[in-house]
Amino acid sequence: MKLSKKKLVLMSFMLFSLFFGAGNLIFPPFLGQNAGEKMPFAIAAFLITAVILPVLGVIVVAKFDGLDKLARKVDARFAVVFTILIYLSIGPGLGIPRAASVPFEMAVAPYLPSGAPLPVFMLLYSLVFFLTAGWLALTPSKLMERIGRFLTPSLLLLLLFLFVQFVLRGDAGVAAAQADYQANPMVKGFLEGYQTMDTIAALNFGLVIATTLRSLGVEKKNDLIHYTTRAGLAAGAILSAVYLMLSYMGMKSSAVYAIPENGAVVLRLIVKQLFGDVGAVLLAAIFTLACLTTCVGLITSISQFFSSLTDRLKYRQWVYLIAGFSFVVCNQGLNTILGISVPVLNAIYPVSIVLIILGLLDEKLGKNPYMYPAVITVTGIVSCVYCLDYNMHMPLGFLSDLCHTFPLYSLGLGWAGAAAAAALMSHLAYRLRSRRVSQNETEAAA
């Protein structure tokens, strides 16, 4: 079946909105403010982990018809553990609660009256937020219409309006780069892309896109991959444009405001300078729309996955359960949630990146039984050691010392060299085994 251009545009808008949530909104302006004059280098690397890899992830998951089938290339037990870990971390354990906490604490709480009971307001805000998200997630077949036709255009128009007003009337001044960006702007930008969580989210959203396409009558595998690729490229182009606008605003205000604690403060300062206190409404609308669409996508994909694992709970029951649990977690506070996110992402993100790359190269890898298990195992070990070593300050003695010998390990990229070495060793081992098998067959035939 051929998908109309209109439906393809709506699909692209929907995928963009699924990706564009809390982290996508607050990290680019924060990057721009910290990188200052080095922003072009930092944002170029940021786009690799925040746009290119997520788009590739959606395509790979569509190609394998689900994350669990891709992960089985490593091992059946790994597939179960890793898939559940991904869905829980990006979902009710971290990603979904953050999607509700960020808009409240960054765009609502600062404008409440002095002395207002923040926990009560947070409770009410998050209740309405999750009731809305749960209602939208109950009918996944209507996501494209509701998100692609209404929510995404509204969000993009608000962001474009803010950017144009900043270019025309905003206070501007570019400062020198902060220490980390001054020394390694591209490495720092690459790692900041982790914070968007989109490469991990892509492993979930691939299933949402495939399900939506099937509901539109697209059934053939090649057609699913074709339209997923086109929607992914279009969504990636929109994401890139928005990131460039947000990081530009951060860069051009880097000499105007002192470096704040996060990107939400950067946006709040810019909005207040442009529109005064009335701008709070604009900022709250941008944050809420961005986070709501991502939250809906996460609840949908995770509910679809868990409902396929067991018949005890149906899809609708999983929606209620995940939305309810996320509601409880988000009321623990944004700082608590963000404090958990960095070590979790440093441990999981590299494995997700390598799994996507291997999935893209799957046909060229042939029937090598060593490649997936060896490369993923080494990547997982190095990234977990780094997480314990740098994020949790729990060095593992000899193992930590060994990992410190890897190139770029102290910068958080030691896993890349380790994965490449594991891939090379796997290739050599497979060739050696193939040669022995060939020799044995020749001798037996003789």
Side-chain angles (χ1 to χ4, degrees), residues 153-197:
S154 301
L155 173 61
L156 290 175
L157 285 174
L158 288 173
L159 287 170
L160 184 60
F161 174 72
L162 175 59
F163 177 71
V164 171
Q165 290 299 310
F166 176 79
V167 171
L168 295 176
R169 303 192 294 116
D171 294 337
V174 180
Q178 298 298 301
D180 290 341
Y181 286 95
Q182 188 69 46
N184 298 288
M186 297 194 72
V187 172
K188 183 64 175 174
F190 183 91
L191 295 176
E192 283 299 297
Y194 286 13
Q195 303 301 321
T196 66
M197 303 177 76

